[in-house]
Amino acid sequence: MSGGRVDRSWDCPILHVDMDAFFASVALRDRPDLQHVPAAVGGGHRGVVLSANYAARAHGVRGGMSGVRARRLCPQLVCVPGDHATFSAVSTALREIFRGFTPQVEMASLDEAFLDVRGATRLLGSPLAIAEQIRATVLAEQGITCSAGVAPTVSVAKIASRRAKPDGVLVVPPEDVVDFLHALDVGELYGVGDATATKLRRAGLRTVRQLAHAPVGELRAAVGSGAAHQLQVLAWGRDRSRLHERRGPQEPDRSMGSQRTFARDLTDREEVLREILGLATKVTRRLRAGSVAGRTVALTVRYTDFTTLTRSQTLPEPTDVTQEVYAAAVALHDALVAAAPGGRRGRRAALRLVGVRVEGLVPRTRVHRQRVLGEREHGWSDADRAVDRAAGRFGSGVVGPASLLRLPPTTAPTTASRTAPTAAPTAAPRGRGTTPEGAVGRAGDEFL
DNA sequence: TCTGGGGTCCTAGGACCC
DNA sequence: TCTGGGGTCCTAGGACCC
Protein backbone atom coordinates (compact mmCIF):
# COMPACT_ATOMS: atom_id res chain seq x y z
CA MET A 1 0.00 0.00 0.00
CA SER A 2 3.02 2.23 0.13
CA GLY A 3 5.82 3.22 -2.13
CA GLY A 4 5.86 3.80 -5.83
CA ARG A 5 4.07 0.87 -7.36
CA VAL A 6 4.25 0.24 -11.05
CA ASP A 7 2.36 3.03 -12.75
CA ARG A 8 0.95 0.77 -15.45
CA SER A 9 -1.73 -0.35 -13.01
CA TRP A 10 -3.03 3.20 -12.63
CA ASP A 11 -5.85 4.05 -14.93
CA CYS A 12 -6.23 7.50 -13.50
CA PRO A 13 -4.37 8.47 -10.34
CA ILE A 14 -6.16 10.99 -8.16
CA LEU A 15 -4.19 12.93 -5.57
CA HIS A 16 -5.86 14.51 -2.59
CA VAL A 17 -3.67 17.17 -1.00
CA ASP A 18 -4.76 18.51 2.38
CA MET A 19 -2.97 21.06 4.56
CA ASP A 20 -2.15 19.96 8.09
CA ALA A 21 -4.08 22.05 10.65
CA PHE A 22 -4.39 24.73 7.98
CA PHE A 23 -5.79 27.68 9.93
CA ALA A 24 -3.52 27.07 12.89
CA SER A 25 -0.47 26.53 10.67
CA VAL A 26 -1.05 29.77 8.79
CA ALA A 27 -1.93 31.79 11.88
CA LEU A 28 1.14 30.49 13.73
CA ARG A 29 3.54 30.72 10.80
CA ASP A 30 4.91 34.01 12.04
CA ARG A 31 4.81 33.03 15.69
CA PRO A 32 7.81 30.76 16.27
CA ASP A 33 7.30 31.29 19.98
CA LEU A 34 4.06 29.28 19.72
CA GLN A 35 5.37 26.50 17.49
CA HIS A 36 5.66 23.95 20.27
CA VAL A 37 3.08 25.40 22.63
CA PRO A 38 -0.55 24.22 22.53
CA ALA A 39 -2.24 26.89 20.42
CA ALA A 40 -5.51 27.32 18.56
CA VAL A 41 -7.29 29.70 16.24
CA GLY A 42 -10.68 30.90 17.51
CA GLY A 43 -12.31 29.69 20.69
CA GLY A 44 -14.11 32.76 22.04
CA HIS A 45 -16.82 33.01 24.72
CA ARG A 46 -19.56 31.12 22.90
CA GLY A 47 -17.34 30.29 19.97
CA VAL A 48 -15.49 27.17 18.94
CA VAL A 49 -11.93 26.28 18.01
CA LEU A 50 -11.42 26.78 14.29
CA SER A 51 -8.19 24.81 14.21
CA ALA A 52 -5.61 23.62 16.72
CA ASN A 53 -1.92 22.89 16.29
CA TYR A 54 -0.61 19.40 16.99
CA ALA A 55 0.71 20.35 20.43
CA ALA A 56 -2.88 21.25 21.38
CA ARG A 57 -4.25 18.14 19.69
CA ALA A 58 -2.03 16.06 21.95
CA HIS A 59 -4.26 17.35 24.78
CA GLY A 60 -7.39 16.34 22.91
CA VAL A 61 -8.22 19.78 21.51
CA ARG A 62 -9.94 19.55 18.12
CA GLY A 63 -11.40 21.89 15.57
CA GLY A 64 -15.11 22.43 16.12
CA MET A 65 -14.79 22.06 19.86
CA SER A 66 -16.16 24.79 22.11
CA GLY A 67 -13.54 27.14 23.53
CA VAL A 68 -14.73 26.36 27.04
CA ARG A 69 -14.15 22.66 26.61
CA ALA A 70 -10.81 23.19 24.88
CA ARG A 71 -9.52 25.22 27.82
CA ARG A 72 -10.80 22.62 30.23
CA LEU A 73 -8.78 19.98 28.40
CA CYS A 74 -5.76 22.22 28.06
CA PRO A 75 -5.67 25.17 30.49
CA GLN A 76 -2.44 26.55 29.02
CA LEU A 77 -3.96 26.74 25.52
CA VAL A 78 -3.08 29.94 23.68
CA CYS A 79 -5.88 31.25 21.45
CA VAL A 80 -5.05 33.54 18.58
CA PRO A 81 -7.39 35.30 16.14
CA GLY A 82 -7.60 34.20 12.53
CA ASP A 83 -7.56 36.46 9.51
CA HIS A 84 -9.74 35.33 6.65
CA ALA A 85 -7.96 37.53 4.11
CA THR A 86 -4.67 35.77 4.85
CA PHE A 87 -6.28 32.34 4.63
CA SER A 88 -7.76 33.23 1.24
CA ALA A 89 -4.46 34.55 -0.04
CA VAL A 90 -2.65 31.36 0.99
CA SER A 91 -5.42 29.30 -0.62
CA THR A 92 -4.99 31.14 -3.91
CA ALA A 93 -1.24 30.56 -3.78
CA LEU A 94 -1.81 26.86 -3.12
CA ARG A 95 -4.05 26.55 -6.15
CA GLU A 96 -1.32 28.07 -8.30
CA ILE A 97 1.19 25.57 -6.94
CA PHE A 98 -1.18 22.71 -7.81
CA ARG A 99 -1.77 24.11 -11.29
CA GLY A 100 1.97 24.00 -11.82
CA PHE A 101 1.68 20.21 -11.67
CA THR A 102 -1.55 19.60 -13.55
CA PRO A 103 -4.33 21.71 -15.04
CA GLN A 104 -6.89 19.30 -13.56
CA VAL A 105 -7.40 20.74 -10.11
CA GLU A 106 -10.59 20.64 -8.06
CA MET A 107 -10.35 22.82 -4.97
CA ALA A 108 -12.52 21.12 -2.35
CA SER A 109 -12.17 23.93 0.19
CA LEU A 110 -9.69 26.63 1.12
CA ASP A 111 -7.02 24.15 2.12
CA GLU A 112 -7.51 20.97 0.12
CA ALA A 113 -7.68 19.90 -3.47
CA PHE A 114 -8.05 16.90 -5.72
CA LEU A 115 -5.59 16.63 -8.59
CA ASP A 116 -5.84 14.40 -11.63
CA VAL A 117 -2.20 13.67 -12.43
CA ARG A 118 -2.86 11.28 -15.31
CA GLY A 119 -1.06 13.52 -17.78
CA ALA A 120 1.84 14.38 -15.51
CA THR A 121 3.39 10.99 -14.74
CA ARG A 122 5.46 10.82 -17.92
CA LEU A 123 7.16 14.09 -17.11
CA LEU A 124 7.23 14.08 -13.32
CA GLY A 125 7.37 10.42 -12.33
CA SER A 126 5.10 8.19 -10.30
CA PRO A 127 2.06 9.56 -8.44
CA LEU A 128 4.02 9.15 -5.23
CA ALA A 129 6.91 11.16 -6.64
CA ILE A 130 4.50 13.87 -7.74
CA ALA A 131 2.88 13.98 -4.32
CA GLU A 132 6.28 14.43 -2.68
CA GLN A 133 7.20 17.21 -5.09
CA ILE A 134 3.96 19.02 -4.31
CA ARG A 135 4.48 18.68 -0.57
CA ALA A 136 8.03 20.01 -0.84
CA THR A 137 6.86 22.97 -2.92
CA VAL A 138 4.08 23.85 -0.49
CA LEU A 139 6.51 23.75 2.42
CA ALA A 140 9.14 25.81 0.59
CA GLU A 141 6.75 28.46 -0.71
CA GLN A 142 4.16 28.66 2.05
CA GLY A 143 5.98 27.35 5.09
CA ILE A 144 3.28 24.85 6.03
CA THR A 145 3.14 21.08 5.84
CA CYS A 146 0.50 19.04 4.08
CA SER A 147 -0.44 15.42 3.56
CA ALA A 148 -1.44 13.58 0.42
CA GLY A 149 -3.44 10.55 -0.53
CA VAL A 150 -3.07 8.80 -3.88
CA ALA A 151 -5.80 6.44 -5.11
CA PRO A 152 -7.89 5.60 -8.16
CA THR A 153 -10.96 7.50 -6.93
CA VAL A 154 -11.80 10.74 -5.20
CA SER A 155 -13.18 9.32 -1.97
CA VAL A 156 -10.39 6.78 -1.50
CA ALA A 157 -7.76 9.48 -2.08
CA LYS A 158 -9.53 11.62 0.52
CA ILE A 159 -9.50 8.84 3.09
CA ALA A 160 -5.87 8.08 2.31
CA SER A 161 -4.70 11.64 2.92
CA ARG A 162 -6.54 11.71 6.22
CA ARG A 163 -4.72 8.58 7.31
CA ALA A 164 -1.39 9.97 6.14
CA LYS A 165 -1.59 12.95 8.50
CA PRO A 166 0.40 14.74 9.59
CA ASP A 167 3.06 15.47 7.00
CA GLY A 168 2.82 12.16 5.15
CA VAL A 169 1.73 10.38 1.99
CA LEU A 170 -0.34 7.24 1.58
CA VAL A 171 -0.65 5.49 -1.76
CA VAL A 172 -3.51 3.05 -2.32
CA PRO A 173 -2.93 1.29 -5.66
CA PRO A 174 -5.99 -0.03 -7.53
CA GLU A 175 -5.40 -3.64 -6.51
CA ASP A 176 -5.35 -2.69 -2.83
CA VAL A 177 -8.44 -0.48 -2.74
CA VAL A 178 -10.96 -3.09 -1.58
CA ASP A 179 -8.75 -4.46 1.20
CA PHE A 180 -7.91 -0.93 2.31
CA LEU A 181 -11.55 0.13 2.50
CA HIS A 182 -12.92 -3.05 4.02
CA ALA A 183 -10.64 -2.77 7.04
CA LEU A 184 -12.13 0.63 7.94
CA ASP A 185 -14.90 1.59 10.32
CA VAL A 186 -18.02 2.77 8.46
CA GLY A 187 -17.60 6.22 10.01
CA GLU A 188 -14.37 6.71 8.09
CA LEU A 189 -16.07 6.73 4.70
CA TYR A 190 -16.18 10.13 3.05
CA GLY A 191 -19.78 11.30 3.30
CA VAL A 192 -20.70 9.21 6.31
CA GLY A 193 -21.19 11.45 9.32
CA ASP A 194 -22.46 10.78 12.80
CA ALA A 195 -26.11 10.36 11.79
CA THR A 196 -25.48 7.79 9.08
CA ALA A 197 -22.81 5.95 11.08
CA THR A 198 -25.26 5.57 13.96
CA LYS A 199 -27.95 4.17 11.66
CA LEU A 200 -25.49 1.69 10.19
CA ARG A 201 -24.21 0.52 13.56
CA ARG A 202 -27.76 0.12 14.76
CA ALA A 203 -28.26 -2.19 11.78
CA GLY A 204 -25.23 -4.18 12.91
CA LEU A 205 -22.87 -2.77 10.27
CA ARG A 206 -19.66 -1.56 11.88
CA THR A 207 -17.02 -2.11 9.24
CA VAL A 208 -16.92 -1.18 5.60
CA ARG A 209 -16.57 -4.89 4.85
CA GLN A 210 -19.89 -5.60 6.54
CA LEU A 211 -21.44 -2.64 4.75
CA ALA A 212 -20.15 -3.85 1.38
CA HIS A 213 -21.69 -7.28 1.85
CA ALA A 214 -24.94 -6.19 3.46
CA PRO A 215 -28.13 -7.23 1.62
CA VAL A 216 -29.46 -4.22 -0.26
CA GLY A 217 -32.90 -4.52 1.29
CA GLU A 218 -31.46 -4.39 4.78
CA LEU A 219 -29.37 -1.37 3.92
CA ARG A 220 -32.32 0.44 2.39
CA ALA A 221 -34.34 -0.14 5.50
CA ALA A 222 -31.56 1.40 7.55
CA VAL A 223 -30.68 4.49 5.54
CA GLY A 224 -33.11 4.84 2.61
CA SER A 225 -32.66 3.73 -0.97
CA GLY A 226 -30.66 6.68 -2.28
CA ALA A 227 -28.10 6.55 0.51
CA ALA A 228 -27.97 2.72 0.36
CA HIS A 229 -26.85 2.77 -3.24
CA GLN A 230 -24.30 5.51 -2.64
CA LEU A 231 -22.87 3.70 0.40
CA GLN A 232 -22.25 0.50 -1.49
CA VAL A 233 -20.56 2.42 -4.27
CA LEU A 234 -18.24 3.93 -1.68
CA ALA A 235 -17.72 0.62 0.12
CA TRP A 236 -16.36 -0.95 -3.07
CA GLY A 237 -14.29 2.08 -4.05
CA ARG A 238 -16.28 2.69 -7.20
CA ASP A 239 -16.96 6.39 -6.84
CA ARG A 240 -15.88 8.96 -9.38
CA SER A 241 -12.38 9.40 -10.81
CA ARG A 242 -13.32 12.44 -12.85
CA LEU A 243 -12.81 15.79 -11.26
CA HIS A 244 -15.42 18.50 -11.39
CA GLU A 245 -14.06 21.47 -13.18
CA ARG A 246 -15.14 23.36 -10.15
CA ARG A 247 -16.78 26.71 -10.27
CA GLY A 248 -14.74 28.98 -12.39
CA PRO A 249 -14.82 32.72 -11.96
CA GLN A 250 -17.93 32.91 -14.11
CA GLU A 251 -19.99 30.42 -12.16
CA PRO A 252 -21.38 32.00 -9.00
CA ASP A 253 -21.90 30.44 -5.60
CA ARG A 254 -25.30 28.87 -5.09
CA SER A 255 -26.06 30.81 -1.94
CA MET A 256 -24.60 33.38 0.41
CA GLY A 257 -25.55 33.81 4.01
CA SER A 258 -24.51 34.99 7.40
CA GLN A 259 -25.57 34.04 10.88
CA ARG A 260 -24.74 35.17 14.36
CA THR A 261 -24.86 33.58 17.76
CA PHE A 262 -25.35 36.22 20.40
CA ALA A 263 -23.31 36.62 23.55
CA ARG A 264 -26.63 36.59 25.41
CA ASP A 265 -29.96 35.37 24.12
CA LEU A 266 -32.26 38.06 22.74
CA THR A 267 -35.89 38.50 23.66
CA ASP A 268 -36.62 41.99 22.38
CA ARG A 269 -38.08 42.18 18.86
CA GLU A 270 -36.36 45.49 18.17
CA GLU A 271 -33.03 43.97 19.04
CA VAL A 272 -33.69 40.97 16.83
CA LEU A 273 -34.69 43.17 13.91
CA ARG A 274 -31.51 45.17 14.31
CA GLU A 275 -29.51 41.95 14.08
CA ILE A 276 -31.45 40.90 11.01
CA LEU A 277 -30.72 44.24 9.40
CA GLY A 278 -27.04 43.85 10.17
CA LEU A 279 -27.01 40.39 8.59
CA ALA A 280 -29.01 41.50 5.54
CA THR A 281 -26.58 44.38 5.07
CA LYS A 282 -23.58 42.09 5.30
CA VAL A 283 -24.98 39.47 2.94
CA THR A 284 -26.21 41.87 0.27
CA ARG A 285 -22.90 43.70 0.35
CA ARG A 286 -21.24 40.39 -0.49
CA LEU A 287 -23.82 39.74 -3.21
CA ARG A 288 -23.07 43.09 -4.81
CA ALA A 289 -19.32 42.60 -4.46
CA GLY A 290 -19.72 39.27 -6.27
CA SER A 291 -22.09 40.77 -8.87
CA VAL A 292 -24.81 38.23 -8.08
CA ALA A 293 -28.41 38.40 -6.93
CA GLY A 294 -30.75 35.80 -5.50
CA ARG A 295 -34.48 35.11 -5.48
CA THR A 296 -34.95 33.17 -2.27
CA VAL A 297 -34.45 34.69 1.16
CA ALA A 298 -34.12 32.26 4.07
CA LEU A 299 -34.26 33.14 7.74
CA THR A 300 -32.90 30.81 10.40
CA VAL A 301 -33.62 31.20 14.09
CA ARG A 302 -32.31 29.15 16.96
CA TYR A 303 -34.03 29.33 20.32
CA THR A 304 -32.47 28.98 23.72
CA ASP A 305 -33.47 25.32 23.81
CA PHE A 306 -31.55 24.85 20.54
CA THR A 307 -34.67 24.28 18.47
CA THR A 308 -33.66 25.56 15.05
CA LEU A 309 -36.15 26.63 12.40
CA THR A 310 -35.71 27.81 8.84
CA ARG A 311 -38.27 29.69 6.80
CA SER A 312 -37.80 30.86 3.26
CA GLN A 313 -39.58 32.98 0.73
CA THR A 314 -39.05 33.23 -3.00
CA LEU A 315 -39.31 36.69 -4.51
CA PRO A 316 -40.65 37.48 -7.99
CA GLU A 317 -37.17 38.47 -9.12
CA PRO A 318 -33.60 38.11 -7.90
CA THR A 319 -32.36 40.93 -5.71
CA ASP A 320 -29.18 42.25 -4.14
CA VAL A 321 -30.96 45.15 -2.46
CA THR A 322 -30.42 45.34 1.29
CA GLN A 323 -33.86 46.73 1.95
CA GLU A 324 -35.63 43.97 0.02
CA VAL A 325 -33.73 41.16 1.70
CA TYR A 326 -34.30 42.79 5.07
CA ALA A 327 -38.03 43.20 4.42
CA ALA A 328 -38.39 39.56 3.39
CA ALA A 329 -36.44 38.37 6.42
CA VAL A 330 -38.56 40.47 8.77
CA ALA A 331 -41.75 39.13 7.19
CA LEU A 332 -40.48 35.59 7.75
CA HIS A 333 -39.54 36.40 11.31
CA ASP A 334 -42.93 37.90 12.08
CA ALA A 335 -44.76 35.00 10.44
CA LEU A 336 -42.76 32.64 12.59
CA VAL A 337 -43.64 34.51 15.76
CA ALA A 338 -47.29 34.76 14.75
CA ALA A 339 -47.50 31.06 13.92
CA ALA A 340 -46.14 29.94 17.28
CA PRO A 341 -48.84 29.15 19.82
CA GLY A 342 -48.89 31.88 22.39
CA GLY A 343 -46.40 33.88 20.38
CA ARG A 344 -43.60 31.70 21.67
CA ARG A 345 -43.79 32.86 25.18
CA GLY A 346 -41.51 31.50 27.79
CA ARG A 347 -38.01 30.15 27.46
CA ARG A 348 -38.29 29.32 23.82
CA ALA A 349 -38.95 32.92 22.92
CA ALA A 350 -35.34 33.89 23.61
CA LEU A 351 -33.20 33.72 20.50
CA ARG A 352 -29.70 32.36 20.56
CA LEU A 353 -28.96 32.78 16.87
CA VAL A 354 -30.33 34.47 13.78
CA GLY A 355 -29.21 33.86 10.22
CA VAL A 356 -30.05 35.35 6.83
CA ARG A 357 -29.24 33.53 3.59
CA VAL A 358 -29.95 34.39 -0.03
CA GLU A 359 -30.28 31.39 -2.36
CA GLY A 360 -30.75 30.74 -6.04
CA LEU A 361 -27.98 33.10 -7.05
CA VAL A 362 -27.58 34.25 -10.64
CA PRO A 363 -25.13 36.68 -12.20
CA ARG A 364 -26.44 40.20 -11.87
CA THR A 365 -26.06 40.76 -15.59
CA ARG A 366 -28.85 38.23 -16.10
CA VAL A 367 -31.27 40.16 -13.90
CA HIS A 368 -33.53 42.51 -15.76
CA ARG A 369 -35.61 44.34 -13.26
CA GLN A 370 -39.04 45.24 -14.45
CA ARG A 371 -39.60 48.72 -13.19
CA VAL A 372 -42.68 48.78 -11.11
CA LEU A 373 -45.07 51.52 -12.07
CA GLY A 374 -44.15 54.59 -10.08
CA GLU A 375 -40.86 53.20 -8.81
CA ARG A 376 -38.42 55.97 -8.19
CA GLU A 377 -35.63 56.44 -10.65
CA HIS A 378 -32.99 56.19 -7.99
CA GLY A 379 -34.16 53.70 -5.40
CA TRP A 380 -32.63 51.51 -2.76
CA SER A 381 -30.26 49.96 -5.21
CA ASP A 382 -28.44 53.23 -5.79
CA ALA A 383 -28.34 53.94 -2.08
CA ASP A 384 -26.73 50.53 -1.51
CA ARG A 385 -24.06 51.21 -4.05
CA ALA A 386 -23.27 54.60 -2.55
CA VAL A 387 -22.82 52.90 0.81
CA ASP A 388 -20.63 50.22 -0.77
CA ARG A 389 -18.39 52.86 -2.32
CA ALA A 390 -18.04 54.71 0.96
CA ALA A 391 -17.33 51.47 2.78
CA GLY A 392 -14.73 50.61 0.17
CA ARG A 393 -12.95 53.90 0.77
CA PHE A 394 -13.24 54.30 4.48
CA GLY A 395 -13.77 50.80 5.80
CA SER A 396 -16.97 48.89 6.37
CA GLY A 397 -17.28 50.08 9.94
CA VAL A 398 -17.68 53.67 8.82
CA VAL A 399 -20.97 53.55 6.99
CA GLY A 400 -24.05 51.46 7.40
CA PRO A 401 -27.75 51.59 8.01
CA ALA A 402 -28.65 54.32 10.44
CA SER A 403 -30.34 51.87 12.77
CA LEU A 404 -27.10 50.05 13.40
CA LEU A 405 -25.92 53.06 15.33
CA ARG A 406 -25.69 52.33 18.98
CA LEU A 407 -27.94 54.91 20.48
CA PRO A 408 -29.01 55.35 24.06
CA PRO A 409 -32.22 53.36 24.58
CA THR A 410 -34.28 56.51 25.13
CA THR A 411 -33.43 57.85 21.70
CA ALA A 412 -33.62 54.57 19.82
CA PRO A 413 -35.15 55.12 16.38
CA THR A 414 -38.53 53.77 15.49
CA THR A 415 -38.89 50.74 13.31
CA ALA A 416 -39.88 52.88 10.37
CA SER A 417 -36.85 55.10 10.50
CA ARG A 418 -34.44 52.30 11.27
CA THR A 419 -35.14 50.56 8.03
CA ALA A 420 -33.85 53.44 5.98
CA PRO A 421 -30.55 52.45 4.39
CA THR A 422 -29.16 55.90 4.88
CA ALA A 423 -25.45 56.25 4.77
CA ALA A 424 -24.48 57.74 8.07
CA PRO A 425 -21.24 57.92 9.95
CA THR A 426 -21.32 55.79 13.06
CA ALA A 427 -21.03 57.57 16.33
CA ALA A 428 -17.97 55.57 17.26
CA PRO A 429 -16.40 53.98 14.21
CA ARG A 430 -15.20 50.50 14.90
CA GLY A 431 -11.71 49.62 13.87
CA ARG A 432 -11.34 46.95 11.23
CA GLY A 433 -11.16 43.50 12.63
CA THR A 434 -12.39 44.35 16.06
CA THR A 435 -15.20 42.30 17.46
CA PRO A 436 -18.25 44.39 18.15
CA GLU A 437 -19.63 44.43 21.62
CA GLY A 438 -21.77 41.38 22.22
CA ALA A 439 -20.56 39.56 19.14
CA VAL A 440 -19.17 36.08 19.30
CA GLY A 441 -17.79 35.92 15.80
CA ARG A 442 -14.21 34.97 15.19
CA ALA A 443 -11.81 37.75 15.90
CA GLY A 444 -10.80 39.19 12.58
CA ASP A 445 -14.29 38.97 11.19
CA GLU A 446 -15.78 42.22 10.16
CA PHE A 447 -19.19 42.95 11.50
CA LEU A 448 -20.64 44.21 8.26
C1' DT B 1 -19.66 17.17 24.91
C1' DC B 2 -23.96 22.35 26.23
C1' DT B 3 -22.93 22.57 21.01
C1' DG B 4 -19.72 28.41 15.35
C1' DG B 5 -20.07 29.89 10.72
C1' DG B 6 -19.80 29.15 5.89
C1' DG B 7 -21.44 26.35 2.52
C1' DT B 8 -23.57 22.10 -0.63
C1' DC B 9 -26.68 18.49 -1.73
C1' DC B 10 -30.66 15.46 -1.05
C1' DT B 11 -35.38 14.21 0.15
C1' DA B 12 -40.14 14.68 0.58
C1' DG B 13 -44.60 16.74 0.37
C1' DG B 14 -47.74 19.94 -1.65
C1' DA B 15 -49.23 23.08 -5.31
C1' DC B 16 -49.88 23.71 -9.90
C1' DC B 17 -50.03 22.76 -14.76
C1' DC B 18 -50.50 19.95 -18.79
C1' DT C 1 -67.00 15.67 -14.83
C1' DC C 2 -63.79 12.49 -12.98
C1' DT C 3 -59.28 10.35 -12.90
C1' DG C 4 -54.33 9.53 -13.64
C1' DG C 5 -49.57 10.53 -14.37
C1' DG C 6 -45.59 13.38 -15.01
C1' DG C 7 -42.90 17.57 -14.63
C1' DT C 8 -41.59 21.65 -12.19
C1' DC C 9 -41.45 24.87 -8.54
C1' DC C 10 -41.52 25.99 -3.74
C1' DT C 11 -40.70 25.06 1.03
C1' DA C 12 -38.71 22.77 5.18
C1' DG C 13 -35.57 20.01 7.15
C1' DG C 14 -31.64 16.97 7.53
C1' DA C 15 -27.01 15.44 6.68
C1' DC C 16 -22.53 16.40 5.61
C1' DC C 17 -18.10 18.89 4.90
C1' DC C 18 -14.32 22.19 6.29
Side-chain angles (χ1 to χ4, degrees):
Chain A
M1 221 172 292
S2 62
R5 290 296 189 102
V6 182
D7 295 336
R8 277 192 299 275
S9 63
W10 290 98
D11 182 30
C12 171
I14 300 294
L15 259 67
H16 180 252
V17 185
D18 195 357
M19 302 305 118
D20 299 324
F22 178 64
F23 298 105
S25 300
V26 171
L28 300 176
R29 217 165 33 172
D30 309 319
R31 295 287 304 271
D33 53 314
L34 296 178
Q35 270 337 300
H36 304 290
V37 176
V41 179
H45 162 51
R46 264 174 143 175
V48 297
V49 171
L50 189 58
S51 176
N53 68 3
Y54 284 88
R57 290 179 192 214
H59 289 80
V61 177
R62 298 281 182 274
M65 181 179 281
S66 76
V68 174
R69 187 171 170 228
R71 274 184 292 278
R72 203 178 297 147
L73 286 167
C74 180
Q76 69 272 38
L77 184 71
V78 178
C79 290
V80 301
D83 173 26
H84 192 82
T86 306
F87 297 144
S88 291
V90 174
S91 181
T92 303
L94 290 172
R95 192 174 57 213
E96 290 315 305
I97 290 175
F98 301 150
R99 291 234 170 98
F101 287 85
T102 170
Q104 310 253 67
V105 177
E106 176 181 326
M107 291 299 289
S109 71
L110 277 184
D111 76 314
E112 60 176 306
F114 294 99
L115 284 69
D116 179 342
V117 296
R118 189 178 351 189
T121 49
R122 179 179 285 258
L123 204 61
L124 300 172
S126 69
L128 173 64
I130 295 172
E132 290 294 18
Q133 290 170 62
I134 291 172
R135 287 174 4 91
T137 308
V138 168
L139 182 60
E141 294 188 9
Q142 291 300 319
I144 58 180
T145 66
C146 62
S147 301
V150 185
T153 74
V154 162
S155 90
V156 179
K158 169 78 190 178
I159 297 168
S161 74
R162 196 191 291 152
R163 291 175 76 88
K165 281 180 174 299
D167 199 12
V169 182
L170 179 60
V171 179
V172 185
E175 62 271 23
D176 292 349
V177 164
V178 170
D179 285 342
F180 170 73
L181 287 173
H182 285 196
L184 302 176
D185 184 276
V186 288
E188 292 187 73
L189 286 178
Y190 188 42
V192 174
D194 284 344
T196 306
T198 301
K199 286 179 194 166
L200 292 173
R201 292 192 191 111
R202 223 175 268 153
L205 307 172
R206 309 192 76 85
T207 68
V208 176
R209 186 185 310 280
Q210 290 171 321
L211 170 62
H213 291 102
V216 182
E218 214 170 279
L219 201 50
R220 282 188 183 149
V223 298
S225 63
H229 175 255
Q230 182 58 23
L231 284 172
Q232 290 210 313
V233 166
L234 291 175
W236 288 100
R238 293 187 192 131
D239 60 292
R240 69 187 167 99
S241 301
R242 296 259 167 209
L243 300 191
H244 294 317
E245 286 307 321
R246 266 294 233 244
R247 270 187 264 301
Q250 63 276 43
E251 198 181 343
D253 289 337
R254 307 219 190 282
S255 69
M256 282 188 193
S258 187
Q259 60 182 52
R260 225 161 84 83
T261 296
F262 312 120
R264 55 174 182 83
D265 296 348
L266 300 187
T267 50
D268 176 30
R269 178 172 184 272
E270 297 299 305
E271 274 189 299
V272 174
L273 294 197
R274 190 156 52 225
E275 293 293 345
I276 291 175
L277 178 56
L279 293 167
T281 303
K282 181 177 176 179
V283 171
T284 50
R285 192 168 282 171
R286 285 174 54 210
L287 292 174
R288 294 189 294 270
S291 297
V292 293
R295 268 186 79 199
T296 303
V297 177
L299 178 82
T300 300
V301 298
R302 177 169 295 156
Y303 295 97
T304 301
D305 67 1
F306 240 76
T307 307
T308 306
L309 300 177
T310 305
R311 291 292 182 271
S312 62
Q313 185 193 356
T314 299
L315 308 173
E317 293 177 73
T319 184
D320 64 1
V321 177
T322 304
Q323 180 59 24
E324 293 178 355
V325 172
Y326 172 66
V330 170
L332 290 166
H333 169 267
D334 290 344
L336 208 46
V337 171
R344 275 205 190 275
R345 273 190 259 286
R347 300 190 54 197
R348 247 198 169 187
L351 287 186
R352 179 188 174 89
L353 167 149
V354 171
V356 173
R357 175 163 292 277
V358 178
E359 303 167 350
L361 303 189
V362 294
R364 219 172 68 85
T365 50
R366 298 218 322 249
V367 180
H368 304 290
R369 280 190 90 81
Q370 306 198 339
R371 190 169 293 283
V372 176
L373 200 64
E375 187 181 346
R376 287 182 308 164
E377 189 71 17
H378 298 288
W380 299 114
S381 191
D382 293 343
D384 282 344
R385 280 174 176 73
V387 173
D388 289 349
R389 281 193 296 276
R393 287 184 63 186
F394 304 114
S396 61
V398 175
V399 282
S403 71
L404 291 183
L405 295 177
R406 286 206 174 267
L407 297 176
T410 49
T411 59
T414 65
T415 306
S417 68
R418 75 175 36 189
T419 60
T422 319
T426 54
R430 285 188 280 270
R432 291 180 78 88
T434 58
T435 307
E437 186 200 338
V440 178
R442 296 195 298 273
D445 266 1
E446 290 181 90
F447 180 46
L448 291 178

